Amino acid sequence: MGEKRLSDSVAEQILTMITMEKRFGPGDKLPNENELSKELEISRTTLREAVRALVANGILEIQRGRGTFVSQGIDADHLEFLTPLKDAGVNAGDLYEMRLIFEPEAAYYAAMRASDTELKQILAYGRRVEDKIQKNEDRTEVEQLFHRSIAKATHNEFMNQLMPVIYQGIGQGVTLSRQKEMAVKDTLNDHRLIMEFLEARNAEGARSAMRIHILHAMKELNI
């Protein structure tokens, strides 16, 4: 069993501790690296890779200087539906195809169903993304929050369950597009368009704007 495959199965073991065994809940701190690697009888390198995969999937978060924690926002009872961990290095093409199927519809339903508070939250995240782009700062986290808040506003439980998979795509896309000026300019324009249609509660417009946003990213990344 190669290092990569081993880290995948370790990630699933940790996920089982959270979902089935209920040993760690949302917001709980994981044992330190030494303890956990001893318990699972693996190297610290393998453990780090497994943790990285779970962070990419929005299940764990690393707080600098404090340790590794289970993300606050996860619903531990429903996580067993998620098996995006089979290949954390899944290719960008597949991820963007998934986003293309999923996110325009999420924007469509969010435009119709978002509460006023949710809509305000989406627009606030959208403005923070613009701000980060203009300051040339890393926008991965706020971009994920922007897309997640749209999915949440669909009021569809399965859309929320799928979001950690989508996160991975956003993380990869931001990393890949950081060097590309054009992609950054498109992101700004596309985001504004998505926000305008959502604010106007124009579901068809929001769907089209999201579709264009993802198609732009795919074109820039040669997907």
Side-chain angles (χ1 to χ4, degrees), residues 109-126 145-146 148-156 160 198 201:
Y109 288 112
M112 292 196 292
R113 297 176 183 165
S115 68
D116 291 345
T117 312
E118 283 170 331
L119 197 54
K120 272 198 193 102
Q121 185 68 79
I122 293 167
L123 297 174
Y125 285 138
L145 289 167
F146 176 70
R148 180 182 188 164
S149 60
I150 291 172
K152 209 162 185 289
T154 63
H155 298 262
N156 178 318
N160 279 315
L198 284 172
R201 294 194 178 273

Side-chain angles (χ1 to χ4, degrees), residues 164-178:
V165 188
I166 302 295
Y167 275 0
Q168 237 179 301
I170 297 167
Q172 277 199 359
V174 171
T175 309
L176 291 166
S177 73
R178 204 170 286 140

Side-chain angles (χ1 to χ4, degrees), residues 16 34 45 52 70 79 110 215 222:
T16 302
N34 281 341
T45 313
R52 210 174 296 140
V70 179
L79 266 181
L215 284 170
N222 298 317

Side-chain angles (χ1 to χ4, degrees), residues 52-123:
R52 210 174 296 140
L54 289 161
V55 169
N57 282 284
I59 290 153
L60 294 180
E61 55 189 45
I62 293 166
Q63 297 182 15
R64 277 212 190 89
R66 293 191 61 213
T68 306
F69 292 79
V70 179
S71 295
Q72 286 283 6
I74 63 160
D75 181 350
D77 293 329
H78 294 111
L79 266 181
E80 47 265 45
F81 290 125
L82 278 182
T83 48
L85 302 169
K86 291 283 177 270
D87 181 8
V90 68
N91 86 46
D94 285 356
L95 275 164
Y96 271 83
E97 216 166 78
M98 171 83 174
R99 290 188 66 187
L100 197 54
I101 293 165
F102 177 86
E103 290 194 71
E105 298 308 313
Y108 177 88
Y109 288 112
M112 292 196 292
R113 297 176 183 165
S115 68
D116 291 345
T117 312
E118 283 170 331
L119 197 54
K120 272 198 193 102
Q121 185 68 79
I122 293 167
L123 297 174

